[in-house]
Amino acid sequence: MFTYTAGRHFLQIPGPTNLPERVARALSRSTIDHRGPEFSRLTLSILERLQTVFKTSNPVVIYPSSGSGAWEASLANTLSPGDRVLFGDNGQFAANWQKVAAGLGLTVETLPGSWRCPLDVAALENRLAADRGRDIRAVAMVHNETSTGVVNDVAAARAALDRSGHDALLLVDVVSSIGAIDYRHDEWGVDVTVAGSQKGLMVPPGLGFNAVSDKALAAADSASLPRSYWNWAPILEFNQNGFFPYTPAINLLFALDEALSMLLEEGLPQAFARHARFGEATRQAARGWGLDLFCQDPRAYSPSLTAVAMPEGFDADELRRVILERFDMSLGTGLGKVKGKLFRIGHLGDLNELTLAGTLCGVEMGLAALGVPHTSGGVSRALEFLASDGAEVSVVPVVA
Ligand SMILES: Cc1ncc(COP(=O)(O)O)c(C=O)c1O
């Protein structure tokens, strides 16, 4: 039995994110013929604007899938059974992508690391340099680790590949950074970028993306992992005329069309600056409460979400439960080995200063309600920061 709760639910998990009114309306349009001229115009316009968002002049493939499907597609199109893939080991999503690779029959190698720090690029470079037989066929990394709030430096990983003269493909997951943190598929020499619709892009879950380089397309010609539904080739062929080789998720594409318009109306630099500012405000609040940020490297703080460590002896999921019950707000849980040890505040997608202020108030009230030791000035610090004129912070976390 559901009972009405007054006011708006605060969906402050790091994705799926709050659905903007304009996107919700677009989603509810009547479905159209996916083989007709209106649909073709819609697809072509979406594909062009996706290139702007991914910062690529190469194709972006859209799947009716979650981000995990797009993970599988990135591997299935470019690799062959037994191929070695080197993964960073600094978060639950990096770990989940590894499971997908292992399930496909690839050889998974992990670069040891800490969940509280970004990928160790020097260790990556050493490992690549030591791989004289060029056994490693791909390096896979998560740009913004949603489980920890740590940003990994993609440009530095590219530079490590280049310096070691290694020809491995570079596969990058931007599921929780695209649209929220500056990302440059072409400039950073990424071969396959993996994304999903439900976070910075402000669209409901259900669309996955692969942006592909020329090198990735060439790899697909010789790669022999079995693939059918994920196969880029027929999709790219149909996309030329604005169509798909199957029935596409038409209404999600209406939503994406509207969300891309909104993102480009705001401007990518402005959207990145907004997220960076909200990240800093959230960290100010956490410091004000006297709680530890899970990310230990200030150069890698995420503009999309902040993971806050719980004081010893207190369960983060208990705090989340109290906040949901008392204040109707959802926060992100700790995933995998950090379950109960941290909670995650999502500040990505469609939100403004007042949404964030309400979010931080909900956390501060929850800390008090549960009796978690803290100082009550966190919200005031965040508000002061948000109100100040110079509330700008670097939009590209730089690690190297
Ligand atoms: C960084 C990252 N990669 C991949 C995924 C998996 O995406 P999905 O849950 O849409 O399959 C997520 C989901 O939260 C994510 O945050």
Side-chain angles (χ1 to χ4, degrees), residues 133-373:
R134 297 296 182 250
D135 215 14
I136 298 167
R137 299 310 314 139
V139 170
M141 66 189 286
V142 177
H143 183 210
N144 182 72
E145 203 10 290
T146 325
S147 61
T148 59
V150 174
V151 178
N152 292 305
D153 192 335
V154 178
R158 170 78 265 160
L161 275 155
D162 292 346
R163 274 195 302 270
S164 52
H166 205 294
D167 66 350
L169 295 163
L170 178 60
L171 316 180
V172 179
D173 170 329
V174 299
V175 172
S176 59
S177 54
I178 198 76
I181 306 175
D182 193 10
Y183 178 75
R184 309 172 189 184
H185 175 92
D186 283 1
E187 187 184 322
W188 293 344
V190 177
D191 293 303
V192 188
T193 296
V194 174
S197 52
Q198 73 271 29
K199 302 189 189 240
L201 293 182
M202 307 179 291
V203 173
L207 295 177
F209 305 91
N210 275 180
V212 295
S213 71
D214 288 338
K215 186 170 157 186
L217 288 170
D221 286 340
S222 54
S224 63
L225 273 178
R227 59 185 190 267
S228 170
Y229 184 71
W230 302 117
N231 195 351
W232 293 333
I235 302 173
L236 292 175
E237 196 185 319
F238 275 73
N239 275 181
Q240 284 189 0
N241 298 317
F243 297 115
F244 290 83
Y246 46 73
T247 312
I250 300 168
N251 288 58
L252 284 175
L253 294 172
F254 289 153
L256 178 61
D257 177 46
E258 190 63 29
L260 289 171
S261 297
M262 290 169 60
L263 197 54
L264 298 175
E265 280 167 28
E266 180 179 8
L268 290 175
Q270 288 75 9
F272 301 148
R274 178 168 55 85
H275 285 87
R277 199 164 68 244
F278 292 175
E280 178 57 27
T282 306
R283 294 189 294 274
Q284 297 266 359
R287 289 191 195 104
W289 294 322
L291 299 182
D292 281 344
L293 298 170
F294 187 73
C295 175
Q296 287 179 323
D297 187 337
R299 295 166 302 172
Y301 287 147
S302 170
S304 301
L305 76 136
T306 300
V308 181
M310 273 308 266
E312 205 58 47
F314 289 85
D315 182 353
D317 286 340
E318 190 54 16
L319 175 69
R320 290 176 50 253
R321 186 187 63 74
V322 167
I323 290 175
L324 179 61
E325 281 180 15
R326 294 279 306 273
F327 311 119
D328 198 19
M329 176 163 75
S330 296
L331 295 172
T333 185
L335 297 170
K337 68 181 184 187
V338 292
K339 181 141 192 68
K341 294 185 171 29
L342 61 79
F343 62 93
R344 296 173 298 145
I345 303 172
H347 34 75
L348 79 160
D350 185 44
L351 78 162
N352 62 19
E353 278 76 1
L354 293 186
T355 324
L356 184 67
T359 301
L360 298 174
C361 285
V363 175
E364 192 163 310
M365 290 190 291
L367 291 168
L370 190 65
V372 178

